Amino acid sequence: MNSQLRREYLAALGLKSWTLRGKQGLAAPPLGIAPAAAREVSAARESGADWDELRARVAACTRCSLSATRTQTVFGVGNPHADWLIVGEAPGAEEDRRGEPFVGRAGQLLNSMLHAIGLAREQVYIANVLKCRPPGNRDPNLTEAAECLPYLERQIALLKPKIMLAVGRIAAQNLLRTEKTLGALRQQVHRFGISQVPLVVTYHPAYLLRTPTEKRKAWDDLKFARDVISRV
Ligand code: SF4
């Protein structure tokens, strides 16, 4: 990516004066030192499903009450061979309408965040913990998350990402089975599932739109994640 384009993406993040540093300028992430967030992957429920079968199962799913209020399921989008998996919380109104995660203003900011570290949206895979929109964009409850997570876990098993980026508190807490705050989970390398995929936590772009002063921290998280994957 040329420097002018990168400056434009950084400007979208409100970071006009920042420049990407090389690996030498970054503190080495504590790979493997963060408390293990490993959990037994419960992908067995969906084991054996390939991408098409899994997509069909999700589209027909009525395992929780969100099936009654959704317009459509939002399976996920992107490169099925991607190194990066971006995981958000759940579809919002626009995603529910269009059937694609991270669209609208938050999606545009996510695209800018990715571009700032040299990634096009088409190069990554983007999914949510929940495949259906909770009414009024409320937080998902425990039952909904538990019923839906096996779909994401099967997506992870098929994708075999080199890194996961959990965006937002709800995604991070569900993936890591913790009630810790997002602030407490940032800037660490967590591990997900039996394959121990490195997982880094950052802010949700919708939150960054409401709280632009936190964009600098999100930028730190992206650089941190980029450094982690360079060491995988
Ligand atoms: S949120 Fe997940 S578990 Fe619930 S109906 Fe939608 S796809 Fe099924």
Side-chain angles (χ1 to χ4, degrees):
M1 180 182 299
N2 68 44
S3 56
Q4 172 61 29
L5 193 54
R6 175 160 283 146
R7 274 197 295 276
E8 289 174 15
Y9 288 128
L10 287 171
L13 288 171
L15 298 167
K16 297 187 179 83
S17 62
W18 282 51
T19 54
L20 274 171
R21 291 180 297 176
K23 278 193 291 182
Q24 305 307 320
L26 293 170
L31 261 173
I33 294 177
R39 48 184 296 227
E40 289 303 313
V41 173
S42 59
R45 194 186 81 190
E46 306 303 330
S47 66
D50 62 14
W51 283 107
D52 288 343
E53 172 63 21
L54 189 64
R55 186 183 294 274
R57 289 184 191 180
V58 168
C61 182
T62 55
R63 284 184 170 272
C64 81
S65 61
L66 297 182
S67 62
T69 50
R70 72 188 179 214
T71 302
Q72 59 189 314
T73 55
V74 179
F75 181 74
V77 70
N79 181 348
H81 306 291
D83 289 340
W84 289 71
L85 171 61
I86 317 298
V87 183
E89 170 185 340
E94 184 75 1
E95 287 82 9
D96 175 69
R97 192 175 65 77
R98 290 172 52 179
E100 182 173 337
F102 285 96
V103 293
R105 288 181 64 220
Q108 287 168 9
L109 180 54
L110 177 67
N111 294 348
S112 294
M113 293 164 69
L114 294 171
H115 275 298
I117 52 169
L119 291 169
R121 182 179 172 97
E122 298 73 29
Q123 287 177 269
V124 305
Y125 198 89
I126 305 173
N128 285 311
V129 171
L130 260 72
K131 310 306 186 197
C132 301
R133 181 194 180 210
N137 291 343
R138 64 161 170 76
D139 290 351
N141 64 39
L142 286 175
T143 303
E144 293 157 356
E147 287 294 343
C148 212
L149 261 173
Y151 293 130
L152 177 65
E153 288 164 347
R154 184 61 190 158
Q155 287 176 304
I156 293 166
L158 290 167
L159 187 66
K160 299 183 179 64
K162 289 185 178 170
I163 191 166
M164 293 169 61
L165 185 69
V167 295
R169 175 180 61 85
I170 298 294
Q173 289 180 338
N174 274 289
L175 292 171
L176 299 173
R177 292 275 171 95
T178 180
E179 293 186 346
K180 288 184 180 175
T181 64
L182 188 141
L185 296 169
R186 292 178 54 242
Q187 295 288 304
Q188 299 176 52
V189 183
H190 306 274
R191 298 280 175 175
F192 181 85
I194 52 174
S195 53
Q196 295 282 281
V197 184
L199 185 154
V200 172
V201 173
T202 192
Y203 296 95
H204 195 287
Y207 171 78
L208 296 174
L209 289 171
R210 296 192 302 272
T211 321
T213 50
E214 300 286 51
K215 285 181 177 176
R216 225 164 250 271
K217 290 184 188 170
W219 176 231
D220 286 342
D221 297 337
L222 292 170
K223 289 184 296 180
F224 183 84
R226 189 189 56 153
D227 195 36
V228 170
I229 197 170
S230 75
R231 301 168 62 213
V232 171

